[in-house]
Coordinates of all heavy atoms in Angstrom, one line a residue:
N9 N 0.9 -1.2 0.0 CA 0.0 0.0 0.0 C 0.9 1.2 0.1 O 1.6 1.6 1.0 CB -0.9 -0.1 1.2 CG -2.0 1.0 1.1 OD1 -2.3 1.5 0.1 ND2 -2.7 1.2 2.3
P10 N 0.9 2.0 -1.1 CA 1.8 3.2 -1.1 C 1.3 4.2 -0.1 O 0.1 4.4 0.2 CB 1.7 3.6 -2.5 CG 0.4 3.2 -3.1 CD 0.1 1.8 -2.3
R11 N 2.4 4.9 0.4 CA 2.2 6.0 1.3 C 1.3 7.2 0.6 O 1.6 7.5 -0.6 CB 3.3 6.6 1.9 CG 4.1 5.6 2.8 CD 5.4 6.3 3.3 NE 5.1 7.2 4.4 CZ 5.9 7.6 5.2 NH1 7.2 7.3 5.1 NH2 5.6 8.4 6.2
R12 N 0.5 7.8 1.3 CA -0.3 8.9 0.7 C 0.1 10.1 1.5 O 0.2 10.1 2.8 CB -1.8 8.6 0.8 CG -2.3 7.7 -0.2 CD -3.8 7.8 -0.3 NE -4.2 6.5 0.5 CZ -5.6 6.3 0.8 NH1 -6.4 7.2 0.5 NH2 -5.8 5.3 1.4
A13 N 0.2 11.3 0.8 CA 0.6 12.6 1.4 C -0.4 13.6 1.0 O -0.9 13.7 -0.1 CB 2.0 12.9 1.0
F14 N -0.8 14.4 2.0 CA -1.7 15.5 1.7 C -1.1 16.7 2.3 O -0.5 16.7 3.3 CB -3.1 15.3 2.4 CG -3.8 14.1 1.9 CD1 -3.5 12.8 2.4 CD2 -4.5 14.1 0.9 CE1 -4.1 11.6 2.1 CE2 -5.2 13.0 0.4 CZ -5.0 11.6 1.0
L15 N -1.4 17.9 1.5 CA -1.1 19.2 2.0 C -2.3 19.9 2.4 O -3.3 20.0 1.4 CB -0.4 20.1 0.9 CG -0.1 21.4 1.3 CD1 0.8 21.7 2.4 CD2 0.4 22.2 0.0
F16 N -2.6 20.4 3.6 CA -3.8 21.1 3.9 C -3.4 22.7 4.2 O -2.6 22.9 4.8 CB -4.4 20.7 5.3 CG -4.9 19.2 5.2 CD1 -4.0 18.1 5.5 CD2 -6.3 19.0 4.9 CE1 -4.5 16.9 5.3 CE2 -6.7 17.7 4.8 CZ -5.8 16.6 5.0
V17 N -4.2 23.6 3.4 CA -3.8 25.0 3.5 C -5.1 25.5 4.3 O -6.3 25.6 3.6 CB -3.6 25.5 2.2 CG1 -3.4 27.1 2.2 CG2 -2.5 24.9 1.5
A18 N -4.9 26.1 5.4 CA -6.1 26.8 6.2 C -6.3 28.2 5.6 O -5.4 28.7 5.1 CB -5.7 26.8 7.5
D19 N -7.6 28.5 5.7 CA -7.9 29.8 5.3 C -7.4 30.9 6.3 O -6.9 30.7 7.4 CB -9.4 30.0 5.1 CG -10.3 29.9 6.2 OD1 -9.8 30.0 7.4 OD2 -11.4 30.1 6.1
E20 N -7.7 32.2 6.0 CA -7.1 33.3 6.9 C -8.1 33.5 8.1 O -7.6 34.3 8.9 CB -7.2 34.6 6.1 CG -6.3 35.6 6.7 CD -6.2 36.9 5.6 OE1 -6.7 36.7 4.5 OE2 -5.7 37.8 6.0
S21 N -9.1 32.8 8.3 CA -10.0 33.1 9.5 C -9.3 32.7 10.7 O -8.5 31.8 10.7 CB -11.3 32.3 9.3 OG -11.2 31.0 9.5
S22 N -9.7 33.3 11.8 CA -9.1 33.1 13.1 C -9.4 31.6 13.5 O -8.6 31.1 14.3 CB -9.6 34.2 14.1 OG -10.9 34.0 14.2
E23 N -10.6 31.1 13.1 CA -10.9 29.8 13.6 C -10.3 28.6 12.8 O -10.2 27.5 13.2 CB -12.4 29.5 13.6 CG -13.2 30.6 14.6 CD -14.6 30.3 14.6 OE1 -15.1 29.1 14.3 OE2 -15.2 31.3 14.9
R24 N -9.7 29.0 11.6 CA -9.1 28.1 10.7 C -9.9 26.7 10.6 O -9.4 25.7 10.6 CB -7.7 27.7 11.0 CG -6.8 29.0 11.2 CD -5.4 28.6 11.1 NE -4.5 29.8 11.4 CZ -4.2 30.6 10.3 NH1 -4.7 30.4 9.1 NH2 -3.4 31.5 10.6
N25 N -11.3 26.9 10.4 CA -12.1 25.6 10.2 C -12.3 25.3 8.8 O -13.1 24.4 8.5 CB -13.4 25.7 11.1 CG -14.1 27.1 10.7 OD1 -13.7 27.8 9.8 ND2 -15.2 27.3 11.4
T26 N -11.9 26.1 7.9 CA -11.9 25.7 6.4 C -10.6 25.7 5.7 O -9.7 26.3 6.1 CB -12.8 26.7 5.7 OG1 -12.3 28.0 5.8 CG2 -14.3 26.7 6.2
Y27 N -10.4 24.8 4.9 CA -9.2 24.5 4.2 C -9.4 23.9 2.8 O -10.3 23.5 2.5 CB -8.2 23.7 5.1 CG -8.8 22.4 5.4 CD1 -8.7 21.3 4.5 CD2 -9.7 22.1 6.6 CE1 -9.2 20.1 4.8 CE2 -10.2 20.9 6.8 CZ -10.0 19.9 5.9 OH -10.5 18.6 6.2
V28 N -8.2 24.0 2.1 CA -8.2 23.3 0.8 C -7.2 22.3 1.0 O -6.2 22.3 1.5 CB -7.6 24.2 -0.3 CG1 -7.4 23.5 -1.6 CG2 -8.5 25.4 -0.5
K29 N -7.6 21.0 0.5 CA -6.8 19.8 0.7 C -6.2 19.4 -0.7 O -6.9 19.3 -1.7 CB -7.7 18.6 1.1 CG -7.0 17.4 1.2 CD -8.0 16.3 1.7 CE -7.5 14.8 1.6 NZ -8.6 13.9 2.0
Y30 N -4.9 19.2 -0.8 CA -4.2 18.9 -2.0 C -3.6 17.5 -1.7 O -2.9 17.2 -0.8 CB -2.9 19.8 -2.3 CG -3.4 21.2 -2.5 CD1 -3.6 22.1 -1.5 CD2 -3.6 21.7 -3.9 CE1 -3.9 23.4 -1.7 CE2 -4.0 23.0 -4.1 CZ -4.1 23.9 -3.1 OH -4.5 25.2 -3.3
R31 N -3.9 16.5 -2.7 CA -3.3 15.2 -2.5 C -2.0 15.2 -3.3 O -2.1 15.6 -4.4 CB -4.3 14.1 -3.1 CG -3.6 12.8 -3.0 CD -4.6 11.7 -3.2 NE -3.8 10.5 -3.0 CZ -4.1 9.2 -3.5 NH1 -5.2 9.2 -4.2 NH2 -3.6 8.2 -3.2
V32 N -0.9 14.8 -2.8 CA 0.3 14.7 -3.3 C 0.6 13.2 -3.8 O 0.5 12.3 -3.0 CB 1.5 15.1 -2.2 CG1 2.9 15.0 -3.0 CG2 1.3 16.4 -1.8
K33 N 0.7 13.0 -5.2 CA 0.8 11.7 -5.8 C 2.3 11.5 -6.0 O 2.7 11.9 -7.3 CB 0.0 11.6 -7.0 CG -1.4 11.7 -6.6 CD -2.4 11.5 -8.0 CE -3.9 11.8 -7.5 NZ -4.7 11.8 -8.7
G34 N 3.0 11.1 -5.2 CA 4.5 10.7 -5.4 C 5.3 12.0 -5.2 O 4.9 13.0 -4.8
D35 N 6.6 11.8 -5.5 CA 7.6 12.8 -5.3 C 7.3 14.0 -6.1 O 6.9 13.9 -7.2 CB 9.1 12.4 -5.5 CG 9.5 11.3 -4.5 OD1 8.8 11.1 -3.5 OD2 10.6 10.8 -4.7
C36 N 7.4 15.2 -5.6 CA 7.0 16.5 -6.4 C 7.7 17.8 -5.6 O 7.9 17.6 -4.5 CB 5.6 16.6 -6.5 SG 4.7 16.9 -5.0
T37 N 7.7 18.7 -6.3 CA 8.1 20.1 -5.8 C 7.2 21.1 -6.3 O 6.8 21.0 -7.6 CB 9.5 20.3 -6.3 OG1 10.5 19.5 -5.8 CG2 10.0 21.8 -5.8
F38 N 6.8 22.0 -5.5 CA 5.7 23.0 -6.0 C 6.0 24.2 -5.2 O 6.8 24.2 -4.2 CB 4.4 22.5 -5.8 CG 4.0 22.0 -4.4 CD1 3.4 22.9 -3.4 CD2 4.3 20.7 -4.1 CE1 3.1 22.5 -2.2 CE2 3.8 20.3 -2.7 CZ 3.3 21.1 -1.8
T39 N 5.5 25.4 -5.8 CA 5.7 26.7 -5.1 C 4.4 27.2 -4.5 O 3.3 26.7 -4.9 CB 6.1 27.7 -6.2 OG1 5.1 27.7 -7.3 CG2 7.4 27.3 -6.9
I40 N 4.5 27.9 -3.4 CA 3.4 28.5 -2.7 C 3.6 30.1 -2.8 O 4.8 30.7 -2.6 CB 3.4 28.0 -1.2 CG1 3.1 26.6 -1.2 CG2 2.6 28.9 -0.4 CD1 3.2 26.0 0.3
G41 N 2.6 30.9 -2.9 CA 2.5 32.3 -2.9 C 1.3 32.9 -3.3 O 0.4 32.2 -3.7
K42 N 1.3 34.2 -3.4 CA 0.0 34.8 -3.8 C -0.1 34.9 -5.4 O -1.2 35.0 -5.9 CB 0.1 36.3 -3.4 CG -0.5 36.6 -2.0 CD -0.5 38.1 -1.8 CE -0.3 38.4 -0.3 NZ -0.3 39.8 -0.1
A43 N 1.1 35.0 -6.1 CA 1.0 35.2 -7.5 C 0.3 33.9 -8.2 O 0.4 32.8 -7.8 CB 2.3 35.3 -8.0
Q44 N -0.3 34.2 -9.3 CA -1.1 33.2 -9.9 C -0.2 32.2 -10.7 O -0.7 31.1 -11.0 CB -1.9 33.8 -11.2 CG -3.1 34.7 -10.6 CD -4.0 34.1 -9.7 OE1 -4.7 33.0 -10.2 NE2 -4.4 34.4 -8.5
D45 N 1.1 32.3 -10.7 CA 2.0 31.2 -11.4 C 2.4 30.2 -10.3 O 3.3 29.3 -10.7 CB 3.2 31.9 -12.2 CG 4.0 32.8 -11.3 OD1 3.5 33.2 -10.2 OD2 5.1 33.1 -11.6
N46 N 1.9 30.3 -9.1 CA 2.2 29.3 -8.1 C 1.4 28.1 -8.2 O 0.2 28.2 -8.7 CB 2.2 29.8 -6.7 CG 3.2 30.9 -6.4 OD1 4.4 30.6 -6.2 ND2 2.8 32.0 -6.4
Q47 N 1.8 26.9 -7.9 CA 1.0 25.8 -8.0 C -0.1 25.8 -6.7 O -1.2 25.3 -6.8 CB 1.8 24.5 -7.8 CG 2.5 24.1 -9.1 CD 3.8 24.9 -9.2 OE1 4.4 25.2 -8.2 NE2 4.2 24.9 -10.5
V48 N 0.4 26.4 -5.6 CA -0.6 26.6 -4.5 C -0.6 28.1 -4.2 O 0.3 28.7 -3.8 CB -0.1 25.8 -3.1 CG1 -0.9 26.1 -2.1 CG2 0.0 24.3 -3.5
I49 N -1.9 28.6 -4.4 CA -2.0 30.1 -4.4 C -2.7 30.4 -3.0 O -3.7 29.7 -2.7 CB -2.9 30.6 -5.5 CG1 -2.2 30.4 -6.8 CG2 -3.2 32.2 -5.3 CD1 -3.1 30.5 -8.0
I50 N -2.0 31.3 -2.2 CA -2.7 31.7 -0.8 C -2.8 33.1 -0.8 O -1.8 33.9 -0.9 CB -1.7 31.2 0.3 CG1 -1.5 29.7 0.3 CG2 -2.3 31.6 1.6 CD1 -0.5 29.1 1.2
N51 N -4.1 33.5 -0.8 CA -4.3 35.1 -0.8 C -4.4 35.5 0.7 O -5.4 35.5 1.3 CB -5.6 35.4 -1.4 CG -5.9 36.8 -1.7 OD1 -5.0 37.7 -1.4 ND2 -7.0 37.2 -2.0
N52 N -3.3 35.8 1.3 CA -3.1 36.2 2.7 C -2.1 37.4 2.8 O -1.1 37.5 2.1 CB -2.6 35.0 3.5 CG -2.5 35.3 4.9 OD1 -1.7 36.1 5.4 ND2 -3.3 34.6 5.7
A53 N -2.3 38.4 3.6 CA -1.7 39.5 3.9 C -0.1 39.2 4.2 O 0.8 39.9 3.9 CB -2.2 40.5 4.8
F54 N 0.1 38.1 4.7 CA 1.5 37.6 5.3 C 2.2 36.8 4.3 O 3.3 36.3 4.6 CB 1.3 37.0 6.6 CG 0.8 37.9 7.7 CD1 -0.5 37.6 8.1 CD2 1.5 38.9 8.3 CE1 -1.0 38.5 9.1 CE2 1.0 39.6 9.2 CZ -0.3 39.5 9.7
V55 N 1.7 36.6 3.1 CA 2.2 35.7 2.1 C 2.8 36.4 0.9 O 2.0 37.2 0.4 CB 1.2 34.6 1.6 CG1 1.7 33.8 0.5 CG2 0.8 33.7 2.7
S56 N 4.0 36.2 0.6 CA 4.5 37.0 -0.5 C 4.1 36.4 -1.8 O 3.6 35.3 -1.9 CB 6.0 36.9 -0.5 OG 6.6 37.6 0.7
S57 N 4.3 37.1 -2.9 CA 4.0 36.6 -4.3 C 4.5 35.3 -4.7 O 4.0 34.4 -5.1 CB 4.4 37.7 -5.4 OG 3.7 38.8 -5.2
H58 N 6.0 35.1 -4.2 CA 6.5 33.8 -4.4 C 7.1 33.5 -3.0 O 8.3 34.0 -2.8 CB 7.5 33.9 -5.5 CG 6.9 34.1 -6.9 ND1 6.8 35.5 -7.3 CD2 6.2 33.3 -7.7 CE1 6.2 35.3 -8.5 NE2 6.0 34.2 -8.8
H59 N 6.5 32.9 -2.3 CA 6.8 32.7 -0.8 C 7.8 31.6 -0.5 O 8.8 31.8 0.2 CB 5.4 32.6 0.0 CG 5.8 32.9 1.4 ND1 5.5 34.2 2.0 CD2 6.1 32.2 2.5 CE1 5.7 34.2 3.2 NE2 6.1 33.0 3.6
A60 N 7.5 30.4 -1.0 CA 8.3 29.2 -0.6 C 8.2 28.0 -1.7 O 7.3 28.0 -2.6 CB 7.9 28.7 0.7
Q61 N 9.1 27.2 -1.6 CA 9.2 26.0 -2.3 C 9.0 24.9 -1.4 O 9.5 24.8 -0.3 CB 10.4 25.8 -3.2 CG 10.6 26.7 -4.3 CD 11.9 26.4 -5.1 OE1 12.9 26.2 -4.4 NE2 11.7 26.3 -6.3
V62 N 8.1 24.0 -1.8 CA 7.8 22.9 -1.0 C 8.0 21.6 -1.7 O 7.8 21.5 -2.9 CB 6.4 22.8 -0.4 CG1 6.1 21.6 0.4 CG2 6.0 24.0 0.4
A63 N 8.7 20.6 -1.2 CA 8.9 19.4 -1.8 C 8.7 18.1 -1.0 O 8.5 18.2 0.2 CB 10.5 19.1 -2.1
Y64 N 8.1 17.1 -1.6 CA 7.7 15.9 -0.9 C 8.5 14.8 -1.7 O 8.4 14.6 -2.9 CB 6.3 15.5 -1.1 CG 5.9 14.3 -0.3 CD1 5.8 14.2 1.0 CD2 5.6 13.2 -1.1 CE1 5.4 13.0 1.6 CE2 5.2 11.9 -0.5 CZ 5.2 11.9 1.0 OH 4.8 10.8 1.6
Q65 N 9.6 14.3 -1.0 CA 10.5 13.5 -1.7 C 10.8 12.2 -0.8 O 11.1 12.5 0.5 CB 11.9 14.1 -2.0 CG 11.6 15.2 -3.0 CD 13.0 16.0 -3.2 OE1 13.9 15.9 -2.4 NE2 12.9 16.7 -4.3
G66 N 10.7 11.0 -1.1 CA 10.9 9.9 -0.4 C 10.2 9.8 0.9 O 10.7 9.2 1.9
G67 N 8.9 10.2 1.0 CA 8.1 10.2 2.1 C 8.4 11.3 3.1 O 7.9 11.4 4.2
R68 N 9.2 12.3 2.7 CA 9.6 13.4 3.7 C 9.3 14.8 3.1 O 9.3 15.0 1.8 CB 11.1 13.4 3.9 CG 11.6 12.2 4.8 CD 13.1 12.4 5.1 NE 13.1 13.6 5.8 CZ 14.3 14.1 6.2 NH1 15.4 13.6 5.9 NH2 14.4 15.3 6.8
W69 N 8.8 15.6 3.8 CA 8.4 17.0 3.5 C 9.6 18.0 3.6 O 10.3 17.8 4.6 CB 7.2 17.6 4.2 CG 5.9 16.9 3.9 CD1 5.3 16.0 4.5 CD2 5.1 17.3 2.7 NE1 4.1 15.7 3.9 CE2 4.0 16.5 2.8 CE3 5.2 18.3 1.7 CZ2 2.9 16.7 1.9 CZ3 4.1 18.5 0.8 CH2 3.0 17.5 1.0
M70 N 9.9 18.9 2.7 CA 10.9 19.8 2.9 C 10.4 21.3 2.5 O 9.6 21.2 1.6 CB 12.2 19.5 2.1 CG 12.8 18.1 2.6 SD 14.1 17.5 1.5 CE 13.1 16.5 0.4
I71 N 10.9 22.2 3.0 CA 10.3 23.5 2.5 C 11.7 24.6 2.6 O 12.6 24.5 3.4 CB 9.4 24.1 3.6 CG1 8.7 25.4 3.0 CG2 9.8 24.2 5.0 CD1 7.5 25.8 3.6
A72 N 11.5 25.5 1.7 CA 12.7 26.5 1.5 C 12.0 27.8 1.3 O 11.1 27.9 0.3 CB 13.6 26.2 0.3
D73 N 12.4 28.8 1.9 CA 11.9 30.2 1.7 C 12.4 30.7 0.4 O 13.6 30.5 0.1 CB 12.4 31.1 2.9 CG 11.6 32.5 2.9 OD1 12.1 33.3 2.1 OD2 10.8 32.6 3.7
S74 N 11.6 31.5 -0.3 CA 11.9 32.1 -1.6 C 12.2 33.5 -1.5 O 11.6 34.4 -2.2 CB 10.8 31.8 -2.6 OG 10.6 30.4 -3.0
N75 N 12.9 34.0 -0.5 CA 13.1 35.4 -0.1 C 11.8 36.2 0.2 O 11.7 37.3 -0.3 CB 14.1 36.0 -1.3 CG 15.4 35.5 -1.4 OD1 16.0 35.1 -0.3 ND2 15.8 35.1 -2.5
S76 N 11.0 35.5 0.9 CA 9.7 36.2 1.2 C 9.9 37.3 2.2 O 10.9 37.4 2.9 CB 8.7 35.1 1.8 OG 9.1 34.7 2.9
S77 N 8.9 38.1 2.3 CA 8.9 39.3 3.2 C 8.9 38.9 4.6 O 9.5 39.4 5.5 CB 8.0 40.2 2.9 OG 8.0 40.8 1.6
N78 N 8.0 37.9 4.9 CA 7.8 37.5 6.3 C 8.5 36.1 6.7 O 8.3 35.7 7.8 CB 6.3 37.4 6.5 CG 5.7 38.8 6.5 OD1 6.0 39.6 7.1 ND2 4.6 38.9 5.8
G79 N 9.1 35.5 5.7 CA 9.8 34.2 6.1 C 8.8 33.1 6.3 O 7.7 33.3 6.0
I80 N 9.4 32.0 6.7 CA 8.6 30.9 7.0 C 8.8 30.4 8.4 O 10.0 30.5 8.9 CB 8.7 29.7 6.0 CG1 10.2 29.3 5.9 CG2 8.3 30.1 4.6 CD1 10.5 28.1 5.0
L81 N 7.9 29.7 9.1 CA 8.1 29.0 10.3 C 7.6 27.6 10.1 O 6.5 27.4 9.8 CB 7.2 29.7 11.4 CG 7.2 29.2 12.8 CD1 8.6 29.1 13.4 CD2 6.3 29.9 13.7
S82 N 8.4 26.7 10.5 CA 8.1 25.4 10.1 C 9.0 24.4 10.9 O 10.2 24.7 11.3 CB 8.3 25.1 8.7 OG 8.0 23.6 8.4
H83 N 8.6 23.2 11.2 CA 9.3 22.2 11.9 C 9.9 21.2 10.9 O 10.6 20.3 11.3 CB 8.4 21.4 12.9 CG 7.5 20.5 12.3 ND1 6.2 21.2 11.9 CD2 7.2 19.3 12.0 CE1 5.5 20.3 11.4 NE2 6.0 19.0 11.4
L84 N 9.6 21.6 9.6 CA 10.2 20.7 8.5 C 11.6 21.0 8.2 O 12.1 22.1 8.4 CB 9.4 20.9 7.2 CG 7.9 20.6 7.2 CD1 7.2 21.0 6.0 CD2 7.7 19.0 7.5
P85 N 12.4 20.0 7.6 CA 13.8 20.3 7.1 C 13.8 21.5 6.2 O 12.9 21.5 5.4 CB 14.3 19.0 6.5 CG 13.4 17.9 7.2 CD 12.0 18.6 7.4
F86 N 14.8 22.2 6.1 CA 14.7 23.5 5.2 C 15.6 23.2 3.9 O 16.1 24.2 3.4 CB 15.3 24.7 6.0 CG 14.2 25.3 6.8 CD1 14.0 24.7 8.1 CD2 13.3 26.3 6.4 CE1 13.1 25.2 9.0 CE2 12.3 26.7 7.2 CZ 12.1 26.2 8.4
S87 N 15.9 22.0 3.5 CA 16.7 21.9 2.3 C 15.9 21.2 1.2 O 15.1 20.5 1.5 CB 17.9 21.0 2.6 OG 17.5 19.8 3.1
L88 N 16.2 21.7 0.0 CA 15.5 21.1 -1.2 C 16.6 20.4 -2.0 O 17.6 20.8 -2.1 CB 14.7 22.1 -2.0 CG 13.4 22.7 -1.4 CD1 12.8 23.7 -2.3 CD2 12.5 21.5 -1.1

């Protein structure tokens, strides 16, 4: 049974009770930010146009800041 991975992106509300769920099918790398050319678009005042790169490789999540204004806060490894 292959491992399944999901990315959940919460909305900007204070209760964070709604979210978008992305199913990750195998190893991949994608970008997060406000701009329309990102694979995951987040319209939030604290998110830069091109905020971060996220990778799922070998069952592990990794994230790297893309010189965003507010940086990233994560417990994930920071190497891609």
Side-chain angles (χ1 to χ4, degrees):
N9 193 14
R11 291 179 80 163
R12 289 191 254 170
F14 297 92
L15 171 67
F16 294 89
V17 178
D19 72 4
E20 194 175 354
S21 72
S22 60
E23 296 182 29
R24 300 200 186 280
N25 55 3
T26 59
Y27 56 88
V28 177
K29 177 181 173 182
Y30 298 89
R31 181 167 183 203
V32 178
K33 297 179 181 180
D35 291 354
C36 65
T37 300
F38 53 93
T39 58
I40 294 177
K42 274 189 211 175
Q44 295 297 309
D45 61 342
N46 291 290
Q47 286 84 24
V48 177
I49 299 168
I50 302 175
N51 188 13
N52 180 295
F54 297 104
V55 175
S56 296
S57 295
H58 297 96
H59 201 89
Q61 288 184 311
V62 179
Y64 183 75
Q65 297 173 346
R68 293 190 54 195
W69 288 99
M70 294 170 275
I71 188 167
D73 191 284
S74 296
N75 296 317
S76 65
S77 298
N78 291 308
I80 54 177
L81 176 63
S82 174
H83 65 280
L84 299 173
F86 283 86
S87 60
L88 285 179

